[in-house]
Amino acid sequence: DIARATDLQCEQIKEIAAPSDWQEIHKQTLTMLLGSANIFQAVSLLQEDPLRAALALQEYQTISSAGQEILDQGLNLIPAQNQ
């Protein structure tokens, strides 16, 4: 399922050595992916706990915004790397 696949991706990303100026983005990406995995898990249990699933879906908007911020930070680092 999606939650397990996301957990696997997080484990793989943890193994990647990030350059020092990318370490914060690396940590933020992992945090975002782990949060997404929790949301997917909650939504997969919709029939058992609809309130938890509804709250998780509300949290997804926050996670999505965080993802955009992480992407922006990474894009800002790229020109600095080429100087």
Side-chain angles (χ1 to χ4, degrees):
D1 68 353
I2 294 174
R4 272 190 250 143
T6 303
D7 284 340
L8 178 60
Q9 286 177 333
C10 287
E11 291 303 317
Q12 292 170 339
I13 291 171
K14 285 180 188 177
E15 300 299 319
I16 297 171
S20 60
D21 49 348
W22 285 82
Q23 286 181 353
E24 187 59 33
I25 291 172
H26 188 73
K27 287 185 228 175
Q28 291 173 352
T29 300
L30 282 170
T31 300
M32 183 191 66
L33 287 173
L34 290 170
S36 295
N38 291 336
I39 290 168
F40 298 145
Q41 180 65 30
V43 171
S44 73
L45 301 172
L46 174 67
Q47 297 299 321
E48 297 166 29
D49 194 347
L51 178 59
R52 179 178 175 206
L55 293 172
L57 287 173
Q58 288 178 350
E59 184 64 25
Y60 191 72
Q61 183 174 2
T62 302
I63 296 270
S64 296
S65 296
Q68 184 60 51
E69 289 175 23
I70 293 167
L71 179 62
D72 291 344
Q73 289 174 17
L75 290 173
N76 288 334
L77 279 178
I78 292 172
Q81 304 252 330
N82 293 323
Q83 294 180 1

